[in-house]
Amino acid sequence: MQFLKKNFYIISITILVLFVAMILIFRKPVPEIPPLKNRIGAIGMGSEWTNTRQTIDALLEKIRQQPNDPKLKITLAQAYIQEARITGDHAYYDPAVIKILNAVLQKDPNNIEALTTLATAYLSQHHFDTGLQIGKQAQKVAPMTSMVYGILTDAYVELGKYDSAVMMADKMCAIRPDLRSYSRISYVREIYGDYPGATAAMKMAVQAGYPGLEQTAWVRCYLGKLYEITGNLDSASLHYQIALGERPNYAYAIAGLGRVALAKKNYAEAIKDYEEANSLIKDNAFGDELVDLYTDNHETKKADSLMEEVIKDLNAQANSNDNDPNAGHYADKELAYAYLKLKQNDQALKHAEIEYNRRPDNIEINEMMSWVYYKRGEYAKSLPYIEKAMRTGSQNAVMLCRAGLIYEKNNNPQKGTVLIKRASTINPYLPQDLITEATPYMPLAGN
């Protein structure tokens, strides 16, 4: 009996070893260079995708023939970054870019194009500290390269180092005034509450772009959004329509039209636009905003179901391991707001605190913390965060309205009333949840 047991054990181990060996032999090898993915749906139609696919296929073939040519790999990484913007598939392309460029930088640590492109990928994943470190390295290597200062501007903005961001944006524009530098000038002006200046700079960005390119469509949509958040819906709609005329099926323009329809309380049109945008590219922001639309349209089941899908997708992509810069996208800010919508306030606070610990000086993150505490009914805790959020003089109407509500709850109705009134003056089309909250304190804030 002991002999049989021993033989059975040996046979079992042998079968297991053979099974593992077969898996290793026949599994597909992981490619050294991640391949291009097919576009799905409407964005996979038309000449642009045909040209893009042919160009990248040719580039991949050249890399196979010349595997030691760093320029080819950098060009591919830059093409993948653009493909991520077009498809929204950052979860695939950002790690691919990082893998390609780390291999280049192992052999040439000071390759300026590789450094700036790598920093861009990390910023896309919300690894802002890592992006800043690489940007500073790039600055030492090539201090007169415009894109270096674009990276530093973006990193400083996200980390809440706004004075430094202003200096970097000015430096970038001085070296090369173009779409990328004008758009960054616009961002920092907006942060400091200068909407006329932000709009003027974004107009210059649009004028500097080539019609039909994704970058040009993006800055035109941001120009539309500047008009939108200051209550000028007609101008906003015009720019979204122009963007669609120059670049059909552009999801951000379609979503912009959806927001305009929502502001006009045309819920059916807004939902149609957002469902279309959500079908075109991967962007959880579309799903998140669609939840609000379903809620405003009293489609509670749809709203809750979609919110759970958004959270599931965010958690699938999210990474909270700050010790591993290659571990994936940081999505705690998005998760905090998503859990608030499901009234899971403990989870919201958990993710808000994770994000706050990463970038405690960022005004949007302080606003998030204040709003999480507000929704938890911890009004005294919310106050210092909203005061820090307003330190740049931002005139963002949503932030001002939230601040007004927080002051109201902290027994400062005079300050609260002023802020709510200012918010409704800047943008008469505030989100419905804020209008509902603000109306008891300042009826004029409602529409």
Side-chain angles (χ1 to χ4, degrees), residues 397 400-406 408 415-425 430 434 437-439 441-446:
L400 293 177
C401 189
R402 287 175 173 174
L405 290 166
I406 289 167
E408 292 281 359
K415 200 162 187 177
T417 298
V418 168
L419 287 167
I420 292 171
K421 192 181 265 189
R422 189 192 309 168
S424 62
T425 300
L430 285 165
L434 282 181
E437 294 254 9
T439 298
Y441 303 104
M442 175 55 65
L444 292 176

Side-chain angles (χ1 to χ4, degrees), residues 127-186:
H127 291 235
F128 302 119
D129 276 320
T130 303
L132 178 60
Q133 292 166 15
I134 298 170
K136 287 180 175 179
Q137 182 184 346
Q139 185 183 22
K140 291 178 182 177
V141 173
M144 291 306 293
T145 299
S146 169
M147 194 55 203
V148 166
Y149 296 97
I151 288 160
L152 292 174
T153 300
D154 295 345
Y156 281 130
V157 162
E158 296 296 346
L159 293 170
K161 310 296 183 184
Y162 300 113
D163 290 345
S164 296
V166 170
M167 288 189 290
M168 295 302 101
D170 285 345
K171 181 73 171 176
M172 183 185 191
C173 203
I175 294 171
R176 186 171 181 175
D178 61 6
L179 178 150
R180 296 182 298 182
S181 56
Y182 290 139
S183 61
R184 286 174 170 86
I185 293 289
S186 178

Side-chain angles (χ1 to χ4, degrees), residues 21 33 46 56 110 112 117 119 129 140 182 190 217-218 222 234 272 275 342 344 407 409:
I33 301 294
I56 292 180
N110 291 325
I112 186 61
T117 309
D129 276 320
K140 291 178 182 177
Y182 290 139
E190 183 184 356
W218 196 92
Y222 203 95
D234 289 341
K272 181 182 75 67
E275 286 178 340
L342 287 179
Q344 296 182 25
Y407 279 112
K409 292 293 188 180

Side-chain angles (χ1 to χ4, degrees), residues 74-354:
I74 293 167
T75 302
L76 178 65
Q78 292 169 340
Y80 277 179
I81 281 181
Q82 188 58 34
E83 193 63 16
R85 286 174 59 94
I86 291 170
T87 63
D89 196 356
H90 291 276
Y92 176 80
Y93 285 110
D94 289 346
V97 168
I98 290 168
K99 179 179 180 180
I100 293 166
L101 294 175
N102 277 334
V104 171
L105 289 165
Q106 281 181 355
K107 296 179 180 179
D108 183 6
N110 291 325
N111 187 304
I112 186 61
E113 281 194 282
L115 286 170
T116 54
T117 309
L118 180 63
T120 300
Y122 278 122
L123 291 175
S124 174
Q125 291 201 309
H126 294 186
H127 291 235
F128 302 119
D129 276 320
T130 303
L132 178 60
Q133 292 166 15
I134 298 170
K136 287 180 175 179
Q137 182 184 346
Q139 185 183 22
K140 291 178 182 177
V141 173
M144 291 306 293
T145 299
S146 169
M147 194 55 203
V148 166
Y149 296 97
I151 288 160
L152 292 174
T153 300
D154 295 345
Y156 281 130
V157 162
E158 296 296 346
L159 293 170
K161 310 296 183 184
Y162 300 113
D163 290 345
S164 296
V166 170
M167 288 189 290
M168 295 302 101
D170 285 345
K171 181 73 171 176
M172 183 185 191
C173 203
I175 294 171
R176 186 171 181 175
D178 61 6
L179 178 150
R180 296 182 298 182
S181 56
Y182 290 139
S183 61
R184 286 174 170 86
I185 293 289
S186 178
Y187 303 154
V188 294
R189 287 178 177 176
E190 183 184 356
I191 287 166
Y192 282 95
D194 180 8
Y195 277 124
T199 302
M202 199 60 78
K203 283 181 180 178
M204 294 172 71
V206 170
Q207 291 164 1
Y210 187 83
L213 291 184
E214 191 276 336
Q215 298 95 322
T216 309
W218 196 92
V219 295
R220 186 177 287 282
C221 284
Y222 203 95
L223 175 59
K225 192 168 185 180
L226 285 171
Y227 283 120
E228 180 190 330
I229 61 181
T230 51
N232 191 339
L233 297 184
D234 289 341
S235 292
S237 181
L238 173 63
H239 284 285
Y240 297 141
Q241 293 284 8
I242 293 172
L244 278 174
E246 294 176 348
R247 190 176 180 85
N249 297 313
Y250 191 55
Y252 295 103
I254 295 168
L257 290 173
R259 287 193 303 272
V260 170
L262 172 61
K264 295 178 178 179
K265 302 196 182 305
N266 186 342
Y267 296 115
E269 185 69 20
I271 288 170
K272 181 182 75 67
D273 287 336
Y274 258 98
E275 286 178 340
E276 182 179 357
N278 198 39
S279 72
L280 287 168
I281 69 171
K282 296 181 179 181
D283 191 331
N284 283 306
F286 293 154
D288 185 66
E289 293 181 68
L290 193 50
V291 167
D292 293 336
L293 279 166
Y294 287 144
T295 300
D296 292 343
N297 203 38
H298 308 293
E299 298 180 64
T300 307
K301 287 185 179 179
K302 273 189 177 182
D304 289 347
S305 175
L306 180 56
M307 193 74 263
E308 288 176 1
E309 284 182 33
V310 168
I311 286 176
K312 183 179 178 181
D313 194 44
L314 284 170
N315 275 314
Q317 297 179 35
N319 158 59
S320 293
N321 180 8
D322 288 10
N323 295 320
D324 183 0
N326 298 320
H329 183 78
Y330 292 157
D332 292 289
K333 175 188 172 186
E334 293 83 356
L335 281 166
Y337 278 117
Y339 280 120
L340 277 186
K341 290 181 182 180
L342 287 179
K343 296 182 172 56
Q344 296 182 25
N345 293 344
D346 288 343
Q347 283 285 1
L349 181 59
K350 170 190 167 184
H351 287 283
E353 287 179 332
I354 291 171

Side-chain angles (χ1 to χ4, degrees), residues 347-363:
Q347 283 285 1
L349 181 59
K350 170 190 167 184
H351 287 283
E353 287 179 332
I354 291 171
E355 191 61 43
Y356 178 80
N357 289 332
R358 288 192 189 111
R359 39 192 185 133
D361 294 322
N362 181 284
I363 60 174

